[in-house]
Amino acid sequence: MEKRQIFGVFALLAVTAAVVCGAGPGPGKKQSTPPEGEAVLAAAPVARVEGETLPGTYDFDHDGAPETVELAHCQYPDSPAVEVTDLHIVNKAGETLWTAFAASAHAGWNSLFACTLEGEDYLLEYHPTMYQGWCDYTYRLFSLGADGEELVLRESAVSFDINWGSPLGHSFDPEAIAAFMEEVNGLLAQSRLLLTTDEALEDMDPEHPRDTLWWLLEDGSGYPTGYTYEETASMEANLRAYAAAMEQP
């Protein structure tokens, strides 16, 4: 593992977006710094970060030349509880082709994988987002253009909630959730984890990633009342059993 000390200017922009604004501009999008942001940068303590180059090479832009993946982990003196990680795709010339960030703060959670389909490398971005039981699960599978632009091959999303009886309404479709998860896990089966700060995925095997829905597993016995997760059943069957138990008075 290559260790080095570098200045985390991009990471500082990222943590400002993640913590102050609640979200960054997203992978592959340029960060812009408004005048007030320049004052924040000038006043903020400079953080030094530890970098590493992940093992392996990829060809995300499909030009036949190898790229490497570099991470820079940063913690700021004024926000020691928040860690930000910058991910850089670096081409053969040593230039950054594309960059993204992930933060330990919930608003900045991110997960990125290297996915290989039919011999071609792609980036897979997966967000199983949940706030107080309201869920928006999304993924994007994309390659990179010559200038680092994202060329989306496939993307999908599913929204639902696990708030039975909520006055705000309720939506839970086991078939749709299971179909989305089957699609995601099919891609994850051909992927390697590059980076995640999502607590729901932090125990994932980086070489054999799979999302089993932590809230569906729970403790496996009696949650909710009358529900037991069945290892041999399909995800859709477990989702239906979960819903049936939740609907009980």
Side-chain angles (χ1 to χ4, degrees), residues 78-249:
D78 289 350
S79 303
V82 177
E83 180 175 294
V84 173
T85 300
D86 291 344
L87 180 147
H88 300 270
I89 305 299
V90 180
N91 63 20
K92 188 176 181 180
E95 303 166 333
T96 295
L97 180 65
W98 183 86
T99 190
F101 80 91
S104 59
H106 192 182
W109 284 1
N110 197 5
S111 299
L112 290 159
F113 305 80
C115 181
T116 302
L117 298 178
E118 299 180 350
E120 299 280 3
D121 293 330
Y122 298 87
L123 285 157
L124 173 63
E125 180 185 56
Y126 176 43
H127 291 286
T129 304
M130 178 187 290
Y131 284 97
Q132 298 182 333
W134 302 96
C135 308
D136 289 296
Y137 281 30
T138 66
Y139 84 79
R140 293 189 311 131
L141 181 73
F142 56 95
S143 59
L144 300 176
D147 295 322
E149 66 272 23
E150 298 170 6
L151 306 175
V152 177
L153 176 68
R154 195 185 308 172
E155 59 186 334
S156 188
V158 65
S159 296
F160 58 95
D161 70 86
I162 55 174
N163 296 321
W164 271 260
S166 169
L168 300 177
H170 173 63
S171 174
F172 190 88
D173 184 342
E175 183 178 0
I177 299 168
F180 175 85
M181 293 308 303
E182 182 178 357
E183 192 172 345
V184 167
N185 281 321
L187 294 172
L188 289 176
Q190 302 174 81
S191 301
R192 173 189 290 178
L193 177 65
L194 300 175
L195 169 66
T196 186
T197 53
D198 191 323
E199 292 180 1
L201 305 178
E202 62 185 2
D203 294 327
M204 177 180 282
D205 181 345
E207 297 296 329
H208 303 92
R210 180 176 177 79
D211 187 3
T212 52
L213 300 179
W214 64 269
W215 50 267
L216 185 64
L217 293 172
E218 201 60 22
D219 64 357
S221 60
Y223 180 85
T225 302
Y227 167 74
T228 300
Y229 179 81
E230 296 290 346
E231 291 280 354
T232 58
S234 68
M235 181 172 286
E236 183 176 346
N238 276 307
L239 286 165
R240 291 188 181 280
Y242 179 90
M246 291 291 283
E247 289 165 1
Q248 296 299 314

